[in-house]
Amino acid sequence: MASSLIPALAVTAPVANTAPAPVTGGEQHGLLQALAAVPDPRDPHGIRYPLSGLLTVAVCAVLAGASSFAAISDWLHDLDEQAKARLGFARRAPAGTTVWRLLTRLDAGLLTGVLAGWLRTRTRPGPRRPRRYRQVIAIDGKTLRSARRPDGGHVHLLSALDTATRAPAKSFR
């Protein structure tokens, strides 16, 4: 099991100087519902754990500072029984290899888009600015090392952030 940074989730991890607003019970369900839109890449036979629960664990662990598959697995196993049951892990928590296999199969662009949409719903609209001010969009791009597309080309990631609302403006792959 690799312990390297997970690019599909790290792209969406916020970097802020202020503490984030606490996630309420309604927003927890919002994240689960948002992640339910991600298509399941697993074979339908033998699925033991819900996809939205596994993805929610991965997102929350990365937001809490996990930067490897092993750290996500540790974060999952540290949850109390009530939290595990809410996420759909009634009998037992999945093994770290299960989390690794799922996260390596996901379409990173699709997951990033779903998470950006959920983050956009969590931001409050900023104050109306006078007409003379511009909307400033911060853009960041990266080329992933050792990652190749089927045609042999490099994988490039591009993200845009609205600096006024701190909401992701768009995410491209």
Side-chain angles (χ1 to χ4, degrees):
M1 193 161 70
S3 63
S4 60
L5 187 64
I6 302 147
L9 297 173
V11 170
T12 60
V15 178
N17 296 335
T18 60
V23 177
T24 64
E27 289 170 335
Q28 288 172 354
H29 295 295
L31 178 59
L32 280 169
Q33 290 170 350
L35 291 173
V38 176
D40 198 337
R42 302 175 291 177
D43 182 16
H45 301 292
I47 290 179
R48 293 186 183 124
Y49 307 105
L51 176 68
S52 58
L54 288 167
L55 293 178
T56 299
V57 164
V59 169
C60 291
V62 169
L63 289 174
S67 60
S68 68
F69 295 107
I72 291 172
S73 180
D74 289 345
W75 193 89
L76 166 62
H77 289 283
D78 287 342
L79 289 175
D80 62 7
E81 294 305 315
Q82 184 182 12
K84 289 178 187 175
R86 275 196 318 249
L87 292 168
F89 311 133
R91 291 180 291 161
R92 60 182 180 175
T97 53
T98 301
V99 176
W100 172 79
R101 274 194 308 269
L102 173 68
L103 293 178
T104 56
R105 287 181 175 173
L106 286 175
D107 179 6
L110 181 63
L111 180 60
T112 301
V114 168
L115 289 174
W118 177 73
L119 287 172
R120 226 178 276 122
T121 64
R122 284 199 35 121
T123 59
R124 294 176 194 88
R128 289 297 282 176
R129 296 180 298 234
R131 191 171 178 94
R132 68 175 194 246
Y133 291 106
R134 297 182 193 162
Q135 181 181 19
V136 178
I137 305 291
I139 297 180
D140 181 32
K142 300 200 180 335
T143 300
L144 299 179
R145 288 191 290 170
S146 304
R148 299 285 179 151
R149 286 190 261 162
D151 64 0
H154 291 283
V155 176
H156 303 285
L157 298 176
L158 177 68
S159 296
L161 178 82
D162 182 350
T163 58
T165 61
R166 294 185 173 262
K170 204 67 165 166
S171 185
F172 305 97
R173 184 176 145 211

